Amino acid sequence: MTLWTHDLLGLLYGLIVGVSLGLTGGGGSIFAVPLLIYGLGIPVGTSIGLSLASVGITAGFGAALRLKAREVDVRAGLVFAAAGMLLAPVGAWLGTQISAALLLSTFALLMAFIGIRMWRGKSGEGVVPGACVVRSGGGLGLGCYARLSAAGCAAGLMSGLFGVGGGFIIVPALLYVTGMSIHRAVATSLLVIFLISISGVAAHLANGQQFPMPVTALFIGGGFAGMLAGGALRSRLSGPVLQKVFAIGMWFVAAYMLARNLPAFL
């Protein structure tokens, strides 16, 4: 593969990830790591850090728009993100201590799990709020902050370890703890993902990961453009059918990753 072809594929794969991210509202970003590793031949650690950077930049753009529209619960988002930012470096470090085969196999199982949630249409709408719910004129108590922080720790650990945004944890947790609307929870999750991603990327850089240029810029730029295109197409496509298509895609990619890494355990 020539250098020019390699960079062009980086742009194309970024577009694919961006479109899937825009169409699914978050789940499609999980395709980034397998495309970087198996499509571009980028090392595992670098791919995870690059995936996290791409997801973070995209989420940051979305968060800025939602903040301007006053759709973000800044207080809940900052509490959630603070805990996640503490654990994201731990996840990044843990990834350096685990063999690539085990890390990728675990990542494949995570993809399979998210695929099941997408197939069932689990995006948070069915979450029943817990006892800790923000009421008119009320506020979050210490118990609420503890629940948000615990969920933030889980999201941060997975973000640093696998390079994913963690929206499949963040949105249901925000709904359960605060009782906010699904629309506001999704908007708030963008702020959380952005902040946790900053911490995770910084940790990967501190661990010695280097992002190859210009393919990194092309991948992130392609993802940004694809996210806008996917978001524009989302309203024209059937949501339930689209989620099932992406779920099947995740299962195929997960099966491929498990098959590639199975020999390491035999």
Side-chain angles (χ1 to χ4, degrees), residues 102-226:
L102 179 58
L103 184 63
L104 293 176
S105 296
T106 307
F107 185 90
L109 294 177
L110 175 64
M111 289 191 74
F113 169 74
I114 296 176
I116 292 172
R117 289 182 60 87
M118 293 186 73
W119 182 271
R120 294 176 177 174
K122 299 288 186 181
S123 56
E125 294 92 335
V127 174
V128 178
C132 178
V133 174
V134 176
R135 293 178 173 82
S136 177
L140 295 172
L142 291 177
C144 306
Y145 288 123
R147 290 180 176 89
L148 285 175
S149 297
C153 287
L157 188 66
M158 297 191 74
S159 293
L161 185 59
F162 297 120
V164 297
F168 59 94
I169 294 176
I170 298 168
V171 173
L174 288 171
L175 291 170
Y176 177 78
V177 174
T178 69
M180 66 177 68
S181 67
I182 180 66
H183 181 78
R184 193 167 180 82
V186 170
T188 304
S189 74
L190 293 176
L191 174 63
V192 175
I193 291 170
F194 171 65
L195 293 174
I196 291 178
S197 296
I198 291 176
S199 176
V201 171
H204 279 278
L205 291 173
N207 287 333
Q209 299 294 344
Q210 296 182 350
F211 300 154
M213 301 296 286
V215 68
T216 295
L218 290 171
F219 185 84
I220 294 176
F224 191 82

Side-chain angles (χ1 to χ4, degrees), residues 30-45:
I30 203 168
F31 288 113
V33 170
L35 282 173
L36 289 167
I37 294 173
Y38 300 111
L40 295 177
I42 295 177
V44 175

